Every structure is written in C-alpha cells, then in structure tokens.
Amino acid sequence: MSTIIYPSPIFGPVHSRRLGVSLGINLLPGDGKQCSFDCIYCECGFNKDHVTHSPRPTRAEVAAALERQLQKMVAEGVLPDVMTFAGNGEPTLHKDFAGIIDDTIALRNRYCPKAKIAVLSNATQCMRPAVHDALMKVDDNILKLDTVDAEYIRLTDRPVGKYDVEEIVRAMVAFDGHVIVQTMFMKGMHNGISVDNTSDEFVLPWLDALKTIRPQQVMIYTIDRETPDANLRKATHEDLDRIADILRAAGFNTSVSY
C-alpha cells in the first residue's frame, strides 16, 4: 500500500515530471493526510489509513521555513524552477491559504524572482472568493478535472462531502483562462468496476467542458507511483497520445506525462 507522506511545511526540492525542479510547500500536517478527495490512486494512500494527529502549520511557520530553505538554496547556488503547493492533501483547505500565497510571492520576489509559484489543487475550494483571488495571483493555477461523469468521480476521486462537477466547471470558467486543467487517465478495476476513462465516452464530454473553461494548458498524465488500490493500471502511451491529439486538434496547449 502506498504511504508517501511528505514533510511539512517544506519538502524537497524534488524533480517533477511536469514542473522541473520543484520546492514543495505542504500546508497539511507532516504525519498524515487531510483532503477533500480520497482518490483511489493517491500516492499518499487512503485518508482513513493516514489520519493526522497534528495541527496544520501556521502562516508564520510556513513563511519562516520557506525563507530558511530559500536562503540555503541561494547559498548553494541551486534555485528552484517552481515552488509548488502540494503534499498530504488539499492545500486550499488551509484557513490562511490566501495570506500564505502573498507571503510566498514576496519571498519568491526576494530570493528567486525567476521561479514560478504553482498550486496543485483538486478544485473543491476554488469557488470560495478568497481562494479564487489567491489562485489568480500564482503563475500556475493547476486544477484537477478527471472527468465530468459524476458516477466516475464518486468511484475514483471519492469527494469528502458535497461535490457538484457542474459547479466546479463554472468555478474554473471564472478564472477567465488563468487555469491549467490536470487530468488523470488510468485503467484497471476498483471494487469490481472498470476505472478506464480513456474512451470517447469519457473523453468527449470532458473535452466539451474544456472548451467552456478555456484553460491556458491541459496536463494529462497517468499513474506513476504505487497506488493504494493495487488493481489500478497505467493508461498506455497510445491512450495518452490519442487523447493529446484530440486536445491539440481542438487548439489546446497540451502536455503529456506517461
């Protein structure tokens, strides 16, 4: 079973398939998960298996730890390509998310002005005005949309609480193009049900949503690390290439991670 739990509030730098040399910022506790999804493919495992007993780092703790790490990297002459909000769950759940973004922008401008700031989010909080406004300030606002099929979302992403995919799409539209849509494609089974979302049955309605959202980029990817459900399988190169061709033909800037 997958059990990658990241240190908090800073981890790395690590090499990201999609983002380059990434310095991770984890706004969740370092001893478990807190997420508004419970994805069957999450590299951090299922929520129930990694219940945290620690508080989230405070805004001041995040800023202090980030500044120390950036000072160290500057001294070593190795700067990040990007500072990425990710880790053990959903970063926008932090009550001071907007203020932490402001602090991070200030520190980036002071120590590594060429670095981008990215947020990897499942989009469940992006309709909140403070979260929306904060995400508008970052360079890469990367929001998850694995499908627009509500049953598939319940099966694979497993939202914790209310989730309305039509509301999520409307919230993504509100970014007026300042959004990167990230989508996981995979195969295999979960609880005896196929999780293959690579067919046109799933791809074409998702494509229609993308045409409404008008993202600056679409990132498609597949399983790269161990998953908590061992019955999942990677989408093939051919699957991803076919989907990428459809996206590019529709005019989308598309990246693929196999």
Side-chain angles (χ1 to χ4, degrees):
M1 179 176 290
S2 176
T3 56
I4 300 175
I5 299 297
Y6 292 93
S8 177
I10 305 299
F11 64 94
V14 298
H15 182 76
S16 165
R17 288 187 295 169
R18 286 154 283 167
L19 302 174
V21 178
S22 172
L23 180 62
I25 304 173
N26 179 16
L27 301 187
L28 289 310
D31 64 346
K33 284 185 66 183
Q34 290 182 355
C35 197
S36 47
F37 272 1
D38 191 15
C39 298
I40 62 174
Y41 57 78
C42 182
E43 65 187 22
C44 297
F46 292 130
N47 292 355
K48 67 179 177 61
D49 296 325
H50 303 287
V51 176
T52 178
H53 302 285
S54 302
R56 297 170 189 167
T58 66
R59 175 178 175 178
E61 288 169 343
V62 174
L66 178 58
E67 183 163 28
R68 287 193 299 271
Q69 180 63 30
L70 290 176
Q71 289 172 336
K72 179 175 181 290
M73 295 180 77
V74 168
E76 294 172 349
V78 180
L79 297 179
D81 296 312
V82 61
M83 292 183 282
T84 308
F85 285 82
N88 306 333
E90 175 52 40
T92 61
L93 291 173
H94 197 292
K95 67 181 181 65
D96 291 323
F97 177 75
I100 291 170
I101 290 294
D102 288 340
D103 296 341
T104 302
I105 291 171
L107 290 168
R108 182 273 307 274
N109 293 346
R110 184 182 310 165
Y111 292 104
C112 50
K114 293 183 179 180
K116 290 185 175 183
I117 296 172
V119 177
L120 296 177
S121 170
N122 62 24
T124 56
Q125 309 299 309
C126 69
M127 67 289 297
R128 293 169 50 205
V131 172
H132 170 93
D133 292 348
L135 292 174
M136 285 295 292
K137 297 177 183 179
V138 305
D139 300 286
D140 291 339
N141 170 29
I142 305 173
L143 301 182
K144 173 168 289 299
L145 185 66
D146 286 339
T147 180
V148 293
D149 185 289
E151 287 301 320
Y152 187 89
I153 291 167
R154 278 192 283 271
L155 176 67
T156 62
D157 294 329
R158 305 198 306 175
V160 178
K162 176 181 174 290
Y163 182 92
D164 182 341
V165 68
E166 293 181 0
E167 181 184 27
I168 297 298
V169 170
R170 288 193 297 270
M172 290 184 176
V173 171
F175 287 104
D176 195 24
H178 183 67
V179 58
I180 297 170
V181 172
Q182 180 191 73
T183 301
M184 163 69 79
F185 287 101
M186 61 182 174
K187 295 191 170 186
M189 307 287 287
H190 177 68
N191 291 340
I193 303 172
S194 171
V195 296
D196 185 345
N197 63 335
T198 64
S199 68
D200 284 350
E201 174 188 358
F202 292 96
V203 171
L204 296 183
W206 167 79
L207 178 64
D208 288 340
L210 293 177
K211 291 176 180 177
T212 301
I213 296 166
R214 297 180 295 108
Q216 67 194 62
Q217 185 182 352
V218 181
M219 293 178 170
I220 62 174
Y221 69 122
T222 192
I223 295 166
D224 184 49
R225 299 187 175 107
E226 185 184 1
T227 59
D229 186 331
N231 296 307
L232 308 182
R233 300 288 180 266
K234 292 171 70 77
T236 67
H237 284 215
E238 291 77 16
D239 292 325
L240 295 179
D241 287 342
R242 186 187 78 86
I243 295 166
D245 287 344
I246 292 172
L247 289 169
R248 290 170 181 145
F252 291 105
N253 175 17
T254 303
S255 66
V256 184
S257 298
Y258 298 101

